[in-house]
Amino acid sequence: MKTRRHFLKTAALAPLVLSANKLLAFPKEKPTTPTNRLQYSINAYSFNTELRSGEMSFFDMMEFCAEIGMDAIDLTGYYFSSYPEKPSNKELFALKRKALDLGLDIAWTGVRNNFVTPNVAARNSDKALIKDWLEVSSKLGATIMRVFTGKNKSKDFTKNDIKEWLVSDYKTCAKYGEEHGVIVGLQNHDEFLFISDEIIDVLNRVNSDWFGLVLDCGSLPSDNPYEEMKKLAPYANYWFVKEHVKTKDSTKVPADLKRIAQIIKASNYKGYVSFESLKEGDTKAILKDMFSTFTSAL
């Protein structure tokens, strides 16, 4: 708190500061902040087959990311051998050290959860899982952890009933996130919340700085998924770009990566953009092409 004594002391020093101005060079204008400070990452699910078979490790994936000029890596939880249990500190800190050596951030982690089931015990179990992995995320230095809604298979409750559970559970998780300094990021995943208005409604109802949006461009089934992206852009804490978008009936069609890049640029977003490939073929070559195509539009 600034006291009167502080004010008098500051006033007494003012003539000295004014005299010193003759000797010091001050900029005439404030430096401008770049409108786009995008950072790029690759999501581990791109190498789902290789990681599960042991053909590739997280260390191999990190080296590939660094080689093609990425800034970060997404280390999804279920590729750790201990999952759903927490990995050891030794394993986590080895990954953290490797990322430092390569000049990479570990941008996110992610788990699987289902908060739209009527099974309260199952939802509570998933909240405990999320709490554990928020601790893991914090140890890795990740700033956001992805969560899902889950798929609704019950016909005994209305969608609004289920949203009440969903919002309540997310509020609890947001408190866990605040404790560990990690944002809990809802990834819209074409499972329960299908359109931008539904997603925004849930974000507003949770109403926490520690609960945000992982905007999945490939999971917005719509006649115009790009308009859905524009609506969600102001809420995005993380952008997740796939090689497809979805029509209203959830049919996958090739994504216009340049158009997505322009939407992100126009939103004045400053943060991570993560790429994920689900195509058959040479995954590394596909990701390189996605990255090149996207950045060419900026």
Side-chain angles (χ1 to χ4, degrees):
M1 180 177 177
K2 292 185 178 180
T3 63
R4 182 174 181 274
R5 182 181 177 186
H6 173 84
F7 172 77
L8 292 173
K9 183 179 178 182
T10 304
L13 291 173
L16 296 176
V17 174
L18 290 172
S19 296
N21 283 351
K22 297 178 181 178
L23 301 175
L24 299 175
F26 288 89
K28 294 181 179 178
E29 297 180 1
K30 292 182 179 180
T32 56
T33 302
T35 55
N36 290 96
R37 299 184 64 249
L38 300 181
Q39 304 286 301
Y40 300 102
S41 185
I42 287 177
N43 188 270
Y45 197 78
S46 299
F47 297 102
N48 178 56
T49 301
E50 295 87 344
L51 288 168
R52 291 197 181 280
S53 68
E55 180 184 342
M56 178 181 277
S57 68
F58 277 151
F59 295 104
D60 297 326
M61 188 178 159
M62 284 183 180
E63 289 177 358
F64 169 68
C65 286
E67 176 190 323
I68 66 170
M70 291 288 166
D71 304 287
I73 186 171
D74 300 350
L75 299 183
T76 312
Y78 30 89
Y79 297 115
F80 286 88
S81 60
S82 64
Y83 186 85
E85 300 300 319
K86 294 182 288 185
S88 68
N89 283 348
K90 182 177 180 180
E91 182 178 1
L92 295 177
F93 297 160
L95 289 166
K96 197 171 183 179
R97 178 53 193 263
K98 179 70 171 180
L100 176 65
D101 289 344
L102 293 171
L104 294 173
D105 294 331
I106 298 174
W108 89 341
T109 58
V111 296
R112 285 197 178 104
N113 65 288
N114 183 2
F115 283 165
V116 297
T117 174
N119 186 328
V120 176
R123 298 205 309 270
N124 287 339
S125 177
D126 279 355
K127 280 186 283 188
L129 172 74
I130 288 169
K131 185 176 184 179
D132 281 348
W133 281 83
L134 284 165
E135 180 185 347
V136 169
S137 303
S138 183
K139 288 180 178 180
L140 286 170
T143 52
I144 192 165
M145 189 181 89
R146 186 279 319 284
V147 297
F148 290 132
T149 58
K151 291 185 178 180
N152 175 33
K153 298 179 180 179
S154 174
K155 296 181 180 178
D156 298 327
F157 301 89
T158 68
K159 189 155 191 172
N160 284 332
D161 289 336
I162 297 169
K163 277 186 181 179
E164 291 291 336
W165 314 335
L166 195 63
V167 169
S168 176
D169 289 342
Y170 284 153
K171 284 183 175 180
T172 300
C173 292
K175 290 177 182 177
Y176 297 153
E178 184 174 8
E179 290 170 8
H180 292 289
V182 180
I183 294 172
V184 178
L186 166 63
Q187 180 183 342
N188 55 290
H189 201 240
D190 195 8
E191 293 181 327
F192 180 73
L193 303 174
F194 301 104
I195 60 174
S196 58
D197 288 343
E198 290 181 322
I199 296 162
I200 292 167
D201 176 51
V202 168
L203 292 170
N204 287 335
R205 287 166 66 178
V206 177
N207 190 28
S208 169
D209 289 339
W210 295 96
F211 184 77
L213 175 63
V214 175
L215 203 170
D216 182 349
C217 298
S219 297
L220 289 167
S222 169
D223 290 333
N224 193 335
Y226 301 99
E227 287 302 314
E228 293 289 284
M229 292 176 210
K230 287 180 183 178
K231 287 183 184 179
L232 289 172
Y235 300 86
N237 299 97
Y238 206 91
W239 281 79
F240 197 20
V241 177
K242 299 174 179 176
E243 65 256 291
H244 67 261
V245 293
K246 289 184 177 179
T247 60
K248 196 165 186 177
D249 64 357
S250 290
T251 300
K252 294 178 182 179
V253 297
D256 185 338
L257 297 182
K258 292 185 177 183
R259 187 173 178 183
I260 294 173
Q262 286 297 310
I263 291 170
I264 295 174
K265 182 177 181 179
S267 73
N268 197 27
Y269 172 75
K270 303 176 183 70
Y272 294 103
V273 176
S274 183
F275 297 94
E276 179 183 283
S277 171
L278 303 175
K279 280 185 179 178
E280 295 290 330
D282 185 339
T283 302
K284 290 183 177 180
I286 293 168
L287 287 167
K288 284 181 184 179
D289 184 64
M290 289 177 69
F291 182 40
S292 176
T293 302
F294 180 93
T295 54
S296 71
L298 296 173

